[in-house]
Amino acid sequence: MSRTPVLYLSHGAPPLADDARWTRQLAGWSADLPKPQAILVVSAHWEEAPLTLGATETVPLVYDFWGFPDRFYQVKYAAPGAPELAAKVRKLLKSTTPVHDAPDRGLDHGAYVPLVEMYPDADIPVLQVSMPSLDPQELFDLGRKLAPLRDEGVLIIGSGFFTHNLSAMRETDGTDGTPPRWSTEFDRWGDEVINQGDVDALLDFQHKAPAAAVAHPRIEHFAPLFVTLGASETTGRTVIDGFWHGLAKRSLEFS
């Protein structure tokens, strides 16, 4: 079995389901991937230390958003739990990283919103793991520890948003408006350094990237990329790009 790719994706808000182009892109992407044996998700929407494993059996989703129409709170994604994957994660981390369990913690929207589009049959076991820190190097090291899972058909996904400043979304006009300069500059820089394989620059993006403090006033939506980088071996290729209400939705695959 060849190594399963590792992904960083911009997951969107619940209304992503109404964006026909984006949903087609996600569905097309998953169709081109080998079907994983299981999926491990690190989402921008779960920070908890020590590192914590979500439910290992199917439990209700976490609707961690407010102010949307009722239909977005009716979405279901009853993917099988992944107790075997959880055991493997514990084994990989046991000598270096404390691991806790949250048996009632369902998938949050950073996990299920893209998975509904990518794997709508919900027939692949999914495990969500918390980010125990936002420190780039710590998350990179976590990705390196989890990398052996790729040899067992596990799809590791870092789910965030390539630029993420909700208070500045008003600067754009809908999904087709011209994105603000801070978002385009950061996105262009990120694309360049990823193509160059400059991991050091990415880990130090708060000092190296243009408009970093505006593109990410808080870094939790960029942070899952560091897990992806740690779990990967090669430079990434962009699968989805463009902007959504001014936010860069660049999403990447690493072989």
Side-chain angles (χ1 to χ4, degrees):
M1 181 184 296
S2 60
R3 287 201 116 186
T4 303
V6 56
L7 314 182
Y8 171 83
L9 56 82
S10 295
H11 60 244
L16 177 150
D18 297 334
D19 188 319
R21 180 169 181 266
W22 199 353
T23 56
R24 284 197 305 270
Q25 289 172 321
L26 288 168
W29 189 1
S30 60
D32 288 339
L33 295 171
K35 186 173 181 178
Q37 298 298 309
I39 298 171
L40 176 68
V41 182
V42 178
S43 161
H45 295 281
W46 192 16
E47 300 171 49
E48 187 168 342
L51 182 142
T52 304
L53 307 182
T56 56
E57 60 184 40
T58 305
V59 299
L61 300 175
V62 177
Y63 302 106
D64 54 336
F65 44 84
W66 299 267
F68 290 97
D70 287 346
R71 61 192 175 90
F72 292 119
Y73 301 92
Q74 307 304 318
V75 174
K76 307 297 181 187
Y77 193 74
E84 293 181 359
L85 177 55
K88 292 174 182 178
V89 171
R90 291 188 193 96
K91 184 176 181 181
L92 288 171
L93 301 180
K94 67 179 181 180
S95 63
T96 59
T97 306
V99 177
H100 285 196
D101 293 281
D104 298 327
R105 211 275 183 182
L107 303 176
D108 62 45
H109 83 268
Y112 78 77
V113 164
L115 291 179
V116 164
E117 309 303 333
M118 298 179 79
Y119 299 103
D121 293 337
D123 59 348
I124 301 170
V126 179
L127 178 70
Q128 188 167 348
V129 176
S130 74
M131 289 192 293
S133 166
L134 292 181
D135 179 83
Q137 188 64 54
E138 288 185 31
L139 293 173
F140 180 84
D141 293 342
L142 172 62
R144 294 190 68 177
K145 294 169 187 173
L146 296 174
L149 296 171
R150 298 177 57 199
D151 296 320
E152 301 184 43
V154 176
L155 178 65
I156 299 173
I157 299 176
S159 178
F161 223 123
F162 208 75
T163 63
H164 192 262
N165 185 333
L166 299 185
S167 67
M169 287 177 69
R170 70 186 67 147
E171 297 182 27
T172 65
D173 180 18
T175 57
D176 297 322
T178 301
R181 180 178 296 178
W182 57 263
S183 193
T184 58
E185 289 180 349
F186 185 95
D187 180 62
R188 187 181 305 114
W189 175 87
D191 182 38
E192 290 174 356
V193 296
I194 287 167
N195 287 335
Q196 295 163 3
D198 192 345
V199 173
D200 290 338
L202 289 163
L203 293 176
D204 194 28
F205 82 98
Q206 289 173 292
H207 300 104
K208 299 290 179 62
V214 184
H216 291 283
R218 194 169 183 275
I219 73 167
E220 80 286 348
H221 275 76
F222 203 58
L225 174 63
F226 308 134
V227 179
T228 297
L229 291 170
S232 65
E233 300 174 329
T234 63
T235 55
R237 71 177 185 92
T238 293
V239 179
I240 298 172
D241 59 8
F243 296 84
W244 187 77
H245 290 281
L247 305 182
K249 61 178 185 178
R250 187 172 301 278
S251 299
L252 304 145
E253 178 180 328
F254 297 78
S255 299

